[in-house]
């Protein structure tokens, strides 16, 4: 007789420890999927994706925008958080309450109660886009975690260590997955390998990642 539980036994665990202080909550965003996608649509209408330039002069393959009190930007003069969108000169769109709540709840489930993000960086990866290994270190208070929500096409996320040369572990991040890292792994290196071609039923030919941070 076939094992009725075969499928669930084969599927990935809903919660996985990635490193000390780092947890992957698979599918966690799916319960609020429609609300998040609607909120994202309004943010993108007010602050469209754009390709920013690194301090070294390279145009990033990942397109970005932000919502919240401040937004992460990069240009020839460096990386920083800015209160205004440099493209429009206006404040970034406010962080929708549904997004703020999701980030707060995911952080609490990962062991970081009371997370109050003031910034959400929105990354768009089309096939061939990638994000090289880096640390998130432009925030003021490293006691606050990072909450990272994956939407759309799957990607290979690399999670390493404090040193750039530390070995990395690869995770396949899928639509609805949330990774949270903080505490001892707050400054761990991470990156995204070149996105493969594909078509997501809700988002089409792209991956969108939301990174929530307490920047100020
Ligand atoms: C980031 O590190 O800014 C984004 C990570 C991701 O896209 O999963
Ligand atoms: Fe990052």
């Amino acid at each position: 007789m076939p094992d009725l539980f075969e499928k669930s036994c084969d599927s990935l665990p809903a919660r996985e420890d990635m490193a000390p202080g780092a947890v992957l909550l698979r599918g966690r965003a799916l319960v609020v999927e429609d609300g998040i996608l609607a909120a994202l649509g309004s943010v993108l209408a007010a602050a469209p994706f754009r390709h920013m330039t690194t301090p070294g002069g390279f145009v990033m393959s990942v397109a970005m925008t932000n919502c919240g009190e401040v937004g992460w930007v990069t240009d020839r003069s460096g990386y920083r958080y800015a209160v205004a969108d440099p493209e429009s000169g206006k404040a970034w769109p406010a962080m929708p309450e549904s997004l703020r709540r999701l980030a707060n709840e995911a952080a609490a489930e990962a062991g970081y109660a009371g997370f109050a993000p003031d910034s959400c960086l929105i990354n768009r990866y089309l096939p061939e886009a990638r994000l090289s290994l880096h640390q998130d270190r432009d925030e003021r208070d490293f006691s606050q975690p990072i909450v990272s929500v994956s939407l759309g096409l799957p990607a290979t996320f690399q999670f390493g260590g404090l040193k750039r040369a530390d070995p990395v572990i690869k995770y396949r991040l899928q639509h609805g997955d949330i990774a949270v890292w903080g505490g001892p792994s707050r400054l761990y290196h991470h990156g995204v390998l070149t996105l493969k071609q594909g078509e997501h039923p809700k988002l089409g030919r792209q991956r969108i990642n939301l990174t929530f941070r307490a920047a100020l």
Side-chain angles (χ1 to χ4, degrees), residues 96-212:
E97 192 45 41
S98 54
L99 296 186
R100 188 189 305 275
R101 189 177 318 124
L102 177 65
N104 171 273
E105 290 176 1
E109 288 164 27
Y112 303 99
F115 178 53
D118 52 24
S119 185
C120 174
L121 171 67
I122 307 169
N123 290 334
R124 185 200 61 196
Y125 302 73
L126 297 183
E128 302 306 327
R130 60 186 288 272
L131 191 63
S132 52
L133 217 55
H134 66 277
Q135 294 171 294
D136 287 12
R137 54 185 308 162
D138 300 318
E139 300 73 33
R140 203 160 287 167
D141 180 4
F142 295 145
S143 76
Q144 293 303 302
I146 301 217
V147 174
S148 173
V149 179
S150 290
L151 299 167
L153 288 178
T156 304
F157 182 67
Q158 293 185 300
F159 201 65
L162 281 178
K163 295 196 290 274
R164 200 171 197 288
D166 283 341
V168 297
I169 300 178
K170 290 178 184 169
Y171 295 90
R172 183 176 163 85
L173 296 186
Q174 309 209 63
H175 183 68
D177 290 352
I178 303 186
V180 181
W181 62 96
S185 54
R186 174 61 180 74
L187 290 171
Y188 275 23
H189 286 77
H190 56 279
V192 177
L193 297 186
T194 306
L195 196 81
K196 293 205 173 80
Q197 291 287 349
E199 186 76 23
H200 185 270
K202 292 245 164 109
L203 279 128
R205 207 172 138 267
Q206 62 180 337
R207 169 176 187 260
I208 291 182
N209 173 263
L210 314 176
T211 306
F212 296 88

Side-chain angles (χ1 to χ4, degrees), residues 51-61 74 76:
H51 291 272
M52 299 188 199
T53 303
T54 66
F58 293 100
V59 176
M60 297 183 77
S61 62
T74 173
R76 287 308 297 247

Side-chain angles (χ1 to χ4, degrees), residues 64-109:
M64 298 178 169
T65 186
N66 292 275
C67 63
E69 285 165 61
V70 286
W72 187 87
V73 296
T74 173
D75 58 20
R76 287 308 297 247
S77 65
Y79 306 129
R80 64 193 171 279
Y81 280 92
V83 290
D85 176 349
E87 293 289 314
S88 67
K90 294 189 292 188
W92 295 105
M95 190 184 299
E97 192 45 41
S98 54
L99 296 186
R100 188 189 305 275
R101 189 177 318 124
L102 177 65
N104 171 273
E105 290 176 1
E109 288 164 27

